[in-house]
Amino acid sequence: MLTKRIIPCLDVKDGRVVKGVNFLNLRDAGDPVELGARYSREGADELVFLDITATIRRKKTIVDLVREVARNVFIPFTVGGGICDADQIDLLLRSGAEKVSVNTAAVDNPDIIKEAAQRVGNQCVVLAIDARRSQKSSEKWQVCVEAGSKPTELDVIEWAQQAEQMGAGEILLTSMDADGTRAGYDNALNHAVSSAVNIPVIASGGAGKLEHLYDAISTGGADAVLMASITHFGDVNIKQIKQYLAGRGVCVNL
């Protein structure tokens, strides 16, 4: 049985970790380096750092932050936000990131996935998908870009499959409808995507209690679970999450 990964997500704005609801009403959650180091000590399997306003403001992801995180965090981490070409992906990996995620840039130019995969390897390329349930059909989701602020006509399932074919090694799947609500993941979305591709899917958006993490794995078919609110603000820690999941038969790295 493959080990399921527990991955805290640190959304960064102006050098601080923030968390909101449905990508809005952001509140401060701490220093990204300090918080990342804490999660590293607690036993998180990986971390994700997303500069959530980089694309909107048309600025590049801060390389200095990546280097500082790499000096203080001793587990693999992914970085994303404002990345627009394979050269930037290569720079961020050389600065200490294990993986790099792309979202808006890949929608604008899908060839960035193929070029990056050829240059740095599939395992380093993560496609981030911000998904919103379609108003036309409750069984379909549309891809949103620019930190979730701009809907597209792309179907989430079709886009995930296309990205896999072009070389993406993993999908970071965020439900915009569930994000920050603590009401649980959108497991219909998670199951639909994880069933449609053969690469790992990280479920994101909606974790509010331990049962939600289990449901994302057992019902949603996720290979990893991403969370923010419940760990940032002290509801639970990584050890408690892993002990709970292990107690319910999920294979985790204790």
Side-chain angles (χ1 to χ4, degrees), residues 9 22 36 57 82 98 101 126 130 171 190-191 193 202 206-207 224 226 232 244 249:
C9 181
N22 306 132
R57 298 183 181 187
E98 184 85 7
S101 76
V126 179
D130 293 336
I171 292 174
N190 293 330
H191 184 267
V193 175
I202 305 170
L226 202 78
H232 289 352
Y244 169 82

Side-chain angles (χ1 to χ4, degrees), residues 11 13 18-21 23-28 52-53:
D11 292 330
K13 178 186 178 188
V18 295
K19 188 57 193 167
V21 178
F23 290 33
L24 301 172
N25 301 318
L26 304 177
R27 60 172 171 151
D28 189 88
I52 60 172
T53 57

